[in-house]
Amino acid sequence: MVDIMVSLWFAELTRHDRVSVKPHASPVLHAINYLIGDLDARYLTTLRALGGLQSYPSRLKDPDTVDFSTGSVGIGATASLWAAMSHRYLASHFDSTPEAGRFISLLGDAELDEGAIWEAVADPSVAKMGELMWIVDLNRQSLDRIVPDVQIHRLMGMFEAAGWQVITLKWGRTISALFDRSGGDDLRARLEEMSNEEYQRILRVDVEQVADRIVGDHGSEELRRLLNSIPSDELAMALRDLGGHDIGLLLDTFAHVDRNRPTVIFAYTVKGRGLPTEGHPNNHSALLTDIQMAALAESVGANPADPWQRFQGGSSAATLCRERGHALRRTAVTNPRPDVVPVALSREHRAPISTQAVLGRFLADLTREAPEVARRVVTCSPDVASSTNLGGWINKTGVWSVTDRPDWFADDPERVLKWSEATEGRHIELGIAEVNLVSLLGELGSTWSRWGERLVPIATIYDPFIPRALEPWSYGIYAGGQSIIVGTPSGVTLAPEGGAHQSITTPSIGLEQPGCVAWEPAFAQDLEWCVLDAINHVGIPGGTSAYFRLSTRPVDQALSRLPEDPLLLERRRRHAVAGGYRLTGHPLADDQVTLVGVGAIMPEVVAAARFLSGLGVTAGVVCLTSPDLVFRSAQGRGSAIASVLFPADSPAPLVTIMDGHPHTLAFLAGLRGDRTRNLGVTEFGQSSALQDAYRIHGIDTATIVDAALDLAGR
């Protein structure tokens, strides 16, 4: 990887290129940045230290230029692909978008075992993206083993089938010259038929044994004569002359890449080439001894006592470092001035409606009432746009495509969803691949910091598939991507669909995810307020992502008891975006028990409070829009909403109810030390009617009433 990266940084890259560097090449990246003047020497001793260089490249935490965070195998490598797509989208919508060059990934062959790679490579849009170039460091080793031979040929075929240009650099020019001599055809055939394991073993033997090992039991006399004519040390070096170590060959290859389609270069290398550990199957994390380190320093003309010494001033190497540093230096990205996001829209929500349907209406309203904000919104979906109520938005804005595509159903009068694909569309549809969805989401949410143009990416995904997408979603947030992900429909509320489409753990996943605010509004007005608040925090310095858990259950909006007085309505809004509000009008001190509900379960919570009132039990009702924000408040972070909803001077037993795992709200018991009963879903679901599902899982009205009576001592 040192040779590959030297060929790029010291000859090939421009300041417009973006490179994803494989995790274990982090020290190489920092060393190069030091040489070209992009890293202060004081950081060179701080790898893996607090406040120093990260163990793997980190776009936000490293002090030098790092284009992509890597370390999550397969995810960082594909980030360059989604960044390229994000730039294309940006450029097709905003004339002020800065120029971009190539999007390059440096990855190891073992990393290609990750399914995330192939989900990305197989996306049909990718085949049209000629700005992509991946270089595979094909050292034939993973952490524990030597990669089997057949795997390499399979990988090449898979890239070709996806429309990529595949280039293989197996041999350098020195050994290729031997192939042209008498016996050279036999030498090439022998080396290329040799298993990876046998090749690696020959690297480890004494140089005097190399010729015999190559000839083996069935080598020709012509091959033996060729090998005997080559000095042993030269033959050993020629055996290591692989394409990935031939910088001239690499540069020639870069110059002839087809810019009309993505390219993958398989560059054969020797792991640890030139070191005592080279080619050994157990060399992962192997360290050199002091003696070996001194020998290495001598071989490259370095001084072990001054390991950070730069090239001598005036030398050609020093001049090259200075010139490349200047050529690669980027101008600082100007933070975009965010558009003013309204705190509310004008629609009145009166008829029963689900929060999923409200989202669709909200996006349509946004284009009319806040067009400058709406033009920053880009929606994404993994083939579930129509079933997550994005149809109205798509009909207004169209579907984005890398290139314009003819709409053969444009004249069909029976078509409800207008699927017109063009470069000016604002919805990106991916295949059924949740990893792709959230990976793209992270890069769309990074455009403000990469190119100074803000986007507000909003993705819809079936909520039970949030765990499938969790790692790349978390990676995107870690790497600085700000976005909104909508999990819908959610919970056992989707009763007829059965356990496969019923989510249980997602509320606590959202609460636990750093850099993200988790929401689960019950009512239409709450959702509108909360989404606007989330949009206001996306695509800005210090911003955050958001996760909304929505439902397909229509809910009577009268249950929200929206105040008519403007001052009280604004107070309700402030409480809603802070995490929750009280629905009951009696004084808090009168609560004999407090019912705390979240999301689609609120009709049962309100019904239980009314039933308890008929029994003479005064039950307060708290509707949480974001258990996440209430938890932060309870921890002394954020607003004071926890103490507003649960004041210390008005203790009461709590019954918490949600269509998700009950431990999500268990923290509320610690606010005042209240006796608490947490109701929720702890078992896999099954197909049923809604009320049957609620009864089976103990989140129905009767169970809520029973729990409240127990706590109230009745």
Side-chain angles (χ1 to χ4, degrees), residues 357-380:
V358 173
L359 177 68
R361 284 189 181 181
F362 167 84
L363 290 171
D365 292 343
L366 192 69
T367 60
R368 182 179 63 256
E369 297 190 36
E372 287 304 307
V373 176
R375 71 191 287 260
R376 299 283 173 182
V377 171
V378 51
T379 59
C380 309

Side-chain angles (χ1 to χ4, degrees), residues 200-514:
Q200 303 271 107
R201 183 66 188 96
I202 296 178
L203 297 178
R204 307 288 306 167
V205 303
D206 186 273
V207 294
E208 301 299 332
Q209 300 178 31
V210 171
D212 290 337
R213 290 269 187 164
I214 293 175
V215 173
D217 297 330
H218 306 290
S220 67
E221 285 302 316
E222 195 173 17
L223 172 59
R224 182 174 292 278
R225 282 195 297 272
L226 171 62
L227 298 181
N228 288 341
S229 68
I230 305 170
S232 298
D233 56 344
E234 292 182 16
L235 179 59
M237 288 300 297
L239 186 66
R240 291 160 169 79
D241 182 38
L242 301 182
H245 297 300
D246 190 326
I247 292 179
L249 180 61
L250 286 165
L251 294 178
D252 288 345
T253 302
F254 299 152
H256 294 91
V257 162
D258 183 354
R259 295 297 185 95
N260 297 308
R261 55 177 174 154
T263 296
V264 59
I265 299 171
F266 286 93
Y268 278 74
T269 62
V270 175
K271 185 175 180 180
R273 180 174 182 261
L275 301 179
T277 59
E278 68 174 340
H280 195 283
N282 302 127
N283 62 9
H284 186 83
S285 297
L287 301 178
L288 301 187
T289 66
D290 289 343
I291 295 175
Q292 291 170 336
M293 187 66 77
L296 172 63
E298 183 179 358
S299 70
V300 297
N303 180 4
D306 185 13
W308 318 124
Q309 184 179 11
R310 295 179 181 273
F311 293 110
Q312 184 176 358
S315 66
S316 58
T319 300
L320 177 61
C321 289
R322 185 178 64 256
E323 291 174 349
R324 293 304 295 164
H326 176 74
L328 296 175
R329 192 167 299 123
R330 298 170 185 165
T331 56
V333 174
T334 303
N335 292 327
R337 186 182 66 178
D339 299 295
V340 177
V341 179
V343 297
L345 302 180
S346 63
R347 182 185 290 272
E348 294 185 354
H349 306 279
R350 300 187 182 278
I353 191 172
S354 70
T355 48
Q356 178 178 294
V358 173
L359 177 68
R361 284 189 181 181
F362 167 84
L363 290 171
D365 292 343
L366 192 69
T367 60
R368 182 179 63 256
E369 297 190 36
E372 287 304 307
V373 176
R375 71 191 287 260
R376 299 283 173 182
V377 171
V378 51
T379 59
C380 309
S381 176
D383 201 37
V384 294
S386 57
S387 57
T388 54
N389 283 78
L390 293 184
W393 164 263
I394 291 172
N395 285 344
K396 281 180 174 291
T397 64
V399 178
W400 182 81
S401 178
V402 172
T403 56
D404 291 346
R405 293 168 57 88
D407 182 3
W408 297 106
F409 283 84
D411 59 349
D412 183 353
E414 298 181 1
R415 186 175 69 167
V416 177
L417 183 62
K418 300 175 183 177
W419 203 261
S420 178
E421 299 182 57
T423 55
E424 65 267 17
R426 291 194 221 160
H427 173 79
I428 303 178
E429 187 80 1
L430 301 175
I432 306 174
E434 287 78 14
V435 171
N436 281 357
L437 174 79
V438 296
S439 297
L440 173 60
L441 203 63
E443 289 304 324
L444 289 168
S446 298
T447 59
W448 68 275
S449 58
R450 289 196 190 281
W451 298 293
E453 285 287 354
R454 180 193 192 197
L455 290 177
V456 179
I458 302 176
T460 58
I461 179 176
Y462 289 169
D463 195 62
F465 302 145
I466 286 287
R468 181 186 298 178
L470 182 57
E471 186 202 354
W473 177 45
S474 183
Y475 161 86
I477 296 173
Y478 168 77
Q482 300 168 15
S483 60
I484 299 172
I485 190 165
V486 179
T488 183
S490 63
V492 299
T493 298
L494 192 66
E497 291 293 321
H501 278 182
Q502 296 171 3
S503 50
I504 297 172
T505 61
T506 47
S508 57
I509 287 175
L511 187 149
E512 295 160 6
Q513 175 61 47

Side-chain angles (χ1 to χ4, degrees), residues 69-143:
S69 300
T70 56
S72 187
V73 177
I75 305 300
T78 61
S80 65
L81 184 157
W82 304 118
M85 186 175 291
S86 298
H87 184 269
R88 283 213 182 194
Y89 177 90
L90 203 67
S92 65
H93 289 80
F94 301 97
D95 293 337
S96 56
T97 301
E99 178 186 353
R102 290 163 297 183
F103 293 83
I104 300 168
S105 280
L106 307 178
L107 60 162
D109 50 336
E111 192 167 6
L112 296 179
D113 290 343
E114 270 293 338
I117 297 284
W118 302 108
E119 288 189 26
V121 166
D123 188 88
S125 298
V126 174
K128 304 178 181 69
M129 299 173 64
E131 64 267 44
L132 289 176
M133 183 170 75
W134 288 11
I135 305 174
V136 180
D137 174 19
L138 211 159
N139 59 36
R140 294 175 273 195
Q141 286 188 240
S142 61
L143 191 152

Side-chain angles (χ1 to χ4, degrees), residues 3-160:
D3 292 319
I4 293 170
M5 291 176 70
V6 164
S7 70
L8 287 169
W9 265 262
F10 288 95
E12 184 67 14
L13 296 181
T14 74
R15 61 172 55 94
H16 303 297
D17 297 328
R18 297 292 184 271
V19 188
S20 172
V21 177
K22 79 173 191 174
H24 292 161
S26 170
V28 186
L29 176 61
H30 296 310
I32 289 175
N33 282 339
Y34 169 65
L35 287 174
I36 64 176
D38 189 37
L39 183 66
D40 192 272
R42 63 190 172 93
Y43 285 106
L44 296 177
T45 60
T46 67
L47 183 65
R48 302 190 177 188
L50 180 63
L53 302 174
Q54 301 300 298
S55 53
Y56 300 134
S58 173
R59 182 167 175 256
L60 298 186
K61 298 181 183 298
D62 276 317
D64 51 337
T65 300
V66 176
D67 292 328
F68 298 94
S69 300
T70 56
S72 187
V73 177
I75 305 300
T78 61
S80 65
L81 184 157
W82 304 118
M85 186 175 291
S86 298
H87 184 269
R88 283 213 182 194
Y89 177 90
L90 203 67
S92 65
H93 289 80
F94 301 97
D95 293 337
S96 56
T97 301
E99 178 186 353
R102 290 163 297 183
F103 293 83
I104 300 168
S105 280
L106 307 178
L107 60 162
D109 50 336
E111 192 167 6
L112 296 179
D113 290 343
E114 270 293 338
I117 297 284
W118 302 108
E119 288 189 26
V121 166
D123 188 88
S125 298
V126 174
K128 304 178 181 69
M129 299 173 64
E131 64 267 44
L132 289 176
M133 183 170 75
W134 288 11
I135 305 174
V136 180
D137 174 19
L138 211 159
N139 59 36
R140 294 175 273 195
Q141 286 188 240
S142 61
L143 191 152
D144 290 329
R145 62 172 185 158
I146 296 174
V147 177
D149 308 79
V150 66
Q151 179 78 347
I152 295 165
H153 301 293
R154 184 184 300 121
L155 297 175
M156 295 173 180
M158 291 165 72
F159 274 104
E160 287 177 343

